[in-house]
Amino acid sequence: MLNDKLFRAWVLLLLFSGISTGVAVMIDRGKTPDDTGWITATAGVIILGLALIKGRIILSRYLGLESTRFWRHGFNLALTLYALVLLGLYLAPFS
């Protein structure tokens, strides 16, 4: 069972989802004065980065793109560009 790629992907998705939830719960949510907002910005960057990794795992393992190099690179490029746009939109108010 531990050698099954889907099972390992599922465990990684659970782990990354737990980390994302932990980061979201642990952020201050603006209850204390934070002049720069770096805690909230860092938490958002971590959560978005984990979402990107989870998306890549789903595309490669569950959809079977790990066996096709062309499609995997294309979807990874599109997903990464989309995540960078979202990151820019998220960080814009903090600057």
Side-chain angles (χ1 to χ4, degrees):
M1 177 152 56
L2 294 177
N3 292 331
D4 186 22
K5 291 180 183 180
L6 288 179
F7 179 74
R8 288 185 297 187
W10 180 73
V11 169
L12 279 174
L13 289 172
L14 282 177
L15 177 69
F16 291 149
S17 295
I19 293 171
S20 296
T21 303
V23 168
V25 168
M26 289 175 31
I27 61 171
D28 197 25
R29 296 186 184 150
K31 293 182 181 175
T32 60
D34 184 16
D35 294 336
T36 60
W38 69 272
I39 295 172
T40 308
T42 304
V45 169
I46 291 170
I47 292 170
L48 187 60
L50 288 172
L52 174 64
I53 293 170
K54 291 189 314 185
R56 293 179 68 175
I57 290 172
I58 290 170
L59 286 173
S60 65
R61 302 288 187 210
Y62 285 105
L63 296 181
L65 293 181
E66 62 188 6
S67 61
T68 61
R69 183 178 182 143
F70 175 77
W71 288 107
R72 185 181 69 228
H73 285 302
F75 276 105
N76 282 340
L77 178 66
L79 189 63
T80 302
L81 290 175
Y82 182 67
L84 288 174
V85 168
L86 289 178
L87 181 64
L89 290 172
Y90 177 75
L91 293 177
F94 292 108
S95 60

